[in-house]
DNA sequence: ACCTGAACACCGTTCAAGT
DNA sequence: ACCTGAACACCGTTCAAGT
């Protein structure tokens, strides 16, 4: 029993570290490992046992939200015309990136990270599905590589730390959509009962 | 005379620091201040006397090249059709960014830096002039804010550290140009004798 | 006036020592 | 097996002391 209680302690430590890190990184994306370990009430060694590198910790913190985004892509595609779904998803992604400051840089670096490869490829697939749906519906005449577009999104979001930057990132997103040859679906179609105004 | 020789020594120090930093930062964009000071044969304090912060040093190193880019915009506009000039300039900017790794991040942060404000606004103006010329010639149907576009350029160039990233940054640049509604000028016009193939 | 370089307050990461 | 926290090798920056 001592073994399993040890292990459950370790498990609890891991969860506590994640919870503390989630909060600390939201408050300050450059919060130090020392401060996170201290706030979690563990030694730095313990933190490193669970997350062998700073990036691994950040990954652990953001993975959940990113998985949510992948799921969101599907449900938006079910509920809206493809282009509207795609745009809403990008907006949601932007909001998430603004909360969790580090995510944009993370997605950039995560491209090559082993441990994040699966989650990353699921994101790329989500973008691919949305883009494909838009193409199929003739709402997008000039599709690009989904991974390219995801990377562009992540880059734009690096700007969204200030109010000005946020506005700029949205304008650049519009520019990118124009680059894709996006034609917003026939909003006058009342079939979906969308008022086209208030999103969410 | 001791005063002026002091000052000329200081001046020489400054130049030497810049020269060494230029090389060191090209080799490793994260080269430390300590190592640069040592390589320049001065104490850290001396380096800090001339460049009160790391960013100031990086700024000093890159300013010359950036000024060159501003001048280049004008000469390209003289020699080529506007859209061709614009595209060539972006390519040249990309090459410069690949040599001097730090420049993309710099342009992002320099937006708000007092000491860089003048150089930065000259860059924005260069982009504005090229965009305007394209518009005037009907080669660009959907112009964007020049500063937005410059920031997008700087972001894309953050990708260009690897061969794959470079290719991606070029695809994203194409995407952005499509977003601007870029129509490449009538290349069949032989008036300029361009073979449209090999650039440079 | 200008320079030096030890020193400071950090950082991410490691590892001997404990339980 | 898991944890602790001092210690290491850095970093950018400062500042008393020299000339």
């Amino acid at each position: 029993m001592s073994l399993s209680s040890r292990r459950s302690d370790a498990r609890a430590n891991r969860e506590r570290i994640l919870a503390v890190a989630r909060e600390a990184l939201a408050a300050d994306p450059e919060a130090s490992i020392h401060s996170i370990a201290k706030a979690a009430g563990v030694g730095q060694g313990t933190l490193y046992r669970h997350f062998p590198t700073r990036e691994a910790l950040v990954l652990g913190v953001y993975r959940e939200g990113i998985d949510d985004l992948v799921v969101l892509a599907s449900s938006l595609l079910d509920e809206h015309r493809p282009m509207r779904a795609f745009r809403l998803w990008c907006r949601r992604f932007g909001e998430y990136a603004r909360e969790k400051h580090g995510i944009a840089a993370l997605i950039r670096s995560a491209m090559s990270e082993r441990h994040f490869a699966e989650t990353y490829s699921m994101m790329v697939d989500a973008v691919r599905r949305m883009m494909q749906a838009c193409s199929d519906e003739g709402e997008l005449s000039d599709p690009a590589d989904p991974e390219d577009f995801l990377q562009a999104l992540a880059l734009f979001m690096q700007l969204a730390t200030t109010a000005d930057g946020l506005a700029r990132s949205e304008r650049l997103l519009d520019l990118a959509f124009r680059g894709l040859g996006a034609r917003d679906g026939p909003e006058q179609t009342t079939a979906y009962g969308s008022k086209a105004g208030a999103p969410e």
Side-chain angles (χ1 to χ4, degrees), chain A:
Chain A
M1 195 62 75
S2 93
L3 249 188
S4 78
S5 72
R6 280 277 196 201
R7 300 223 167 137
S8 73
D9 277 7
R11 217 190 124 91
N13 272 341
R14 192 180 193 281
E15 294 312 314
R16 192 147 29 87
I17 290 169
L18 270 180
V20 167
R22 208 183 312 271
E23 217 171 319
L25 290 175
D28 174 13
E30 295 182 355
S32 76
I33 295 286
H34 279 109
S35 70
I36 291 174
K38 188 171 181 181
V42 300
Q44 310 99 280
T46 302
L47 199 154
Y48 271 86
R49 165 172 285 272
H50 291 292
F51 304 97
T53 182
R54 184 179 219 284
E55 196 165 46
L57 176 62
V58 178
L59 235 53
V61 167
Y62 292 162
R63 171 164 283 155
E64 191 186 347
I66 292 183
D67 287 344
D68 289 348
L69 278 171
V70 170
V71 171
L72 180 68
S74 297
S75 61
L76 284 176
L77 278 176
D78 287 343
E79 295 169 21
H80 301 279
R81 304 222 66 198
M83 181 56 71
R84 182 165 173 76
F86 197 6
R87 282 188 186 272
L88 284 174
W89 187 84
C90 289
R91 181 188 304 244
R92 190 72 190 78
F93 189 12
E95 285 166 11
Y96 183 69
R98 216 163 349 131
E99 291 165 26
K100 327 280 180 174
H101 306 80
I103 202 181
L106 183 69
I107 284 182
R108 252 168 43 59
S109 68
M111 215 179 352
S112 47
E113 281 285 319
R114 298 281 147 103
H115 295 106
F116 197 59
E118 194 184 352
T119 302
Y120 178 69
S121 71
M122 286 181 65
M123 279 217 95
V124 175
D125 279 342
V127 173
R128 190 193 319 278
R129 264 152 37 216
M130 290 183 288
M131 254 176 51
Q132 185 63 52
C134 290
S135 281
D136 291 347
E137 294 289 322
E139 296 184 323
L140 206 159
S141 63
D142 219 349
D145 175 54
E147 191 174 356
D148 284 358
F149 194 80
L150 177 61
Q151 289 290 326
L153 273 180
L155 287 173
F156 293 164
M157 278 158 199
Q158 288 184 351
L159 300 173
T161 53
T162 67
D164 282 1
L166 174 64
R168 192 189 303 283
S169 73
E170 287 173 353
R171 292 194 298 273
L172 288 179
L173 187 61
D174 284 342
L175 180 73
F177 268 105
R178 260 179 276 134
L180 293 177
R183 270 181 293 281
D184 283 285
E187 307 243 7
Q188 64 276 20
T189 302
T190 53
Y192 294 87
S194 72
K195 283 193 220 153
E200 185 69 357

